[in-house]
Amino acid sequence: MAKNTGYTGIQTTAIHAGEAPDPATKASAPPLHMSSTFISEDIAGFSAHDLTPDSPYTYARWANPNVASLEAKVAALQGTEACLGTASGMAAAAAIFFTFLSAGDHLIVSDVSYAGVAELARETLPRMGIEVTAVNMSDLEALSAAVRPNTKLIHSESPANPILRLTDLAAVSKIARDAGALHSSDATFSSPIGMDTNALGIDLVMHSATKYIGGHGDAVGGAVAGRTDLIAQMRAEASIHHGGILSPFNAWMIARGLSTLPLRMKAHASGAQAVAEWLEAHPHVTKVMYPGLASHPQYDLAQRQMQTNSAMISFQVGDAAQGRAIAQAMIDHMEVIHYAVSLGHHRSLVFWMETQGLMETSFQLQGAQAESYRDFAGDGIFRLSVGLEDAEDLITDLDRVL
Ligand SMILES: *Cc1c(COP(=O)(O)O)cnc(C)c1O
């Protein structure tokens, strides 16, 4: 990891952390290890409880060299002691919830989050006897009021998918610490270099590695970064027992993508800034949310907390009927941007997300929570993930349909 190496720069870390030339072949690029089992030189135990961080490789569900290499790279960039690679971002969220929550415990989850996480928390966890409260975490009083004696975990997401609402993560960490709870945070939208998550006091930082970490839209994966003891617990539960491991091939692909993350994030952010400013000036666009725009209602927090504004933009074009019409025009007429879900790829992606539907399915917000959602999203938003194409070409493509 970066600590005991001859380099400190972030780009050098992204390229070299977790890698070493193959001693057998002297290959410069990391070899891909697809072997499901490894020859034992000892008569070792065969239980998750026998695994230690320096155990030799035994079986690929426990550990694999390509997954370990990716984990070391993510940990080095995130600045944590350790990392667990998982089969997907959802497997990362599930690994956190099912490792650190038991029947009778209480989870506080952001009321707006990745839809899969929102549904897992609201629908599955209560079935397991876990109490769940969904809170607007941009409202710290609401968060403090939701804490119970049995609160074990607070799970935040900033910026929140899909509305780009931010959460003051240092304040959430303090509330969690005072409550004796862990603070896990989904940092997918800002990437492992988007925030100083140690300074923000976050215990577990999770990512969908399908997004910025991999960066090329060709491998699904996830990661959770944090302290060695917490990650070891998760490895025993989530990988060895629940079995949701990252495949070596995906780890190899994602690590290759991660090598250029610092360069990509710079290009993503400058492209997104140009597109966001163009959108904001467009007569048919009624609202734009981007942390790099002074018009973002939490611009000051974004400046304080985010080291890159990343490249996720949401914008509105009026009411839901107008949104649907433009979504159809995008499907029919765009030539560069793909009308598709997902984000963080080198290709730009856009998707229409109508508020009413999300209120009835993933989020189910009422009262002040629904109002806060509408303050950011109106009747619906286009979630635009600005890729690495030339901003002028993206603007031309958007101009065709707006
Ligand atoms: C995509 C995403 C996830 C889920 O990740 P998968 O890799 O698709 O399972 C979780 N959180 C956020 C914020 C996401 O954007």
Side-chain angles (χ1 to χ4, degrees):
M1 247 180 279
K3 285 176 191 100
N4 302 315
T5 59
Y7 51 84
T8 51
I10 193 163
Q11 186 56 54
T12 315
T13 302
I15 293 169
H16 289 283
E19 292 185 10
D22 179 35
T25 62
K26 305 291 180 199
S28 164
L32 171 59
H33 297 279
M34 294 300 288
S35 188
S36 56
T37 193
F38 298 82
I39 294 167
S40 293
E41 291 180 342
D42 289 311
I43 305 171
F46 191 62
S47 154
H49 306 296
D50 297 323
L51 185 70
T52 64
D54 48 5
S55 294
Y57 293 110
T58 51
Y59 184 60
R61 182 157 37 76
W62 292 39
N64 160 279
N66 295 103
V67 176
S69 169
L70 174 65
E71 290 170 342
K73 235 185 233 314
V74 172
L77 289 169
Q78 195 75 63
T80 57
E81 291 174 353
C83 171
L84 179 75
T86 57
S88 64
M90 278 309 299
I96 294 170
F97 293 162
F98 291 116
T99 301
F100 297 107
L101 295 169
S102 303
D105 290 343
H106 178 229
L107 164 72
I108 305 178
V109 64
S110 174
D111 69 339
V112 180
S113 64
Y114 180 71
V117 173
E119 292 172 16
L120 173 68
R122 283 168 170 75
E123 295 166 21
T124 306
L125 297 185
R127 223 163 22 80
M128 317 266 122
I130 295 160
E131 297 168 25
V132 178
T133 309
V135 169
N136 172 0
M137 291 197 193
S138 70
D139 180 349
L140 295 170
E141 279 174 32
L143 177 59
S144 293
V147 171
R148 300 177 189 170
N150 58 342
T151 303
K152 286 280 161 55
L153 180 68
I154 299 181
H155 183 76
S156 63
E157 182 174 318
S158 183
N161 188 354
I163 63 174
L164 277 304
R165 192 176 66 196
L166 307 187
T167 290
D168 182 341
L169 296 170
V172 174
S173 293
K174 181 168 188 322
I175 291 169
R177 230 175 5 256
D178 291 348
L182 290 173
H183 177 197
S184 60
S185 196
D186 187 336
T188 298
F189 265 38
S190 68
S191 91
I193 59 167
M195 295 183 286
D196 184 347
T197 52
N198 288 327
L200 297 171
I202 300 164
D203 297 298
L204 294 163
V205 186
M206 72 152 267
H207 294 277
S208 167
T210 320
K211 315 294 171 55
Y212 287 109
I213 291 181
H216 295 77
D218 50 14
V220 172
V224 186
R227 290 200 310 269
T228 304
D229 59 322
L230 299 177
I231 298 301
Q233 257 179 287
M234 296 179 70
R235 194 179 299 284
E237 289 256 7
S239 294
I240 301 178
H241 290 157
H242 303 167
I245 56 158
L246 183 58
S247 91
F249 181 66
N250 281 25
W252 183 78
M253 293 282 281
I254 292 167
R256 185 182 192 276
L258 184 53
S259 301
T260 53
L261 182 79
L263 291 171
R264 284 190 286 110
M265 292 315 289
K266 274 189 208 151
H268 273 300
S270 78
Q273 188 72 33
V275 171
E277 286 172 10
W278 179 83
L279 283 169
E280 195 160 50
H282 195 285
H284 297 162
V285 174
T286 51
K287 198 180 251 186
V288 182
M289 287 286 175
Y290 178 62
L293 291 178
S295 59
H296 190 289
Q298 298 160 299
Y299 180 70
D300 292 343
L301 176 58
Q303 295 292 299
R304 197 164 75 231
Q305 180 167 281
M306 297 177 71
Q307 295 168 337
T308 160
N309 293 317
S310 198
M312 295 306 300
I313 298 173
S314 82
F315 65 93
Q316 299 170 38
V317 293
D319 64 17
Q322 286 164 306
R324 280 195 293 267
I326 287 182
Q328 190 59 52
M330 286 174 164
I331 292 167
D332 295 339
H333 302 301
M334 282 188 314
E335 292 177 18
V336 178
I337 303 170
H338 289 181
Y339 186 85
V341 295
S342 203
L343 57 104
H345 304 172
H346 60 332
R347 295 179 193 85
S348 292
L349 306 170
V350 71
F351 207 73
W352 165 245
M353 300 193 152
E354 201 163 312
T355 299
Q356 188 63 30
L358 283 169
M359 289 301 124
E360 285 160 13
T361 54
S362 306
F363 297 140
Q364 306 182 7
L365 306 180
Q366 283 161 358
Q369 291 186 348
E371 271 169 45
S372 172
Y373 188 95
R374 281 187 179 274
D375 283 347
F376 278 78
D379 288 342
I381 50 172
F382 287 94
R383 185 186 68 183
L384 173 60
S385 170
V386 177
L388 299 175
E389 304 95 335
D390 299 285
E392 306 85 80
D393 288 325
L394 301 178
I395 287 169
T396 302
D397 216 26
L398 290 166
D399 206 23
R400 279 188 191 107
V401 295
L402 285 175

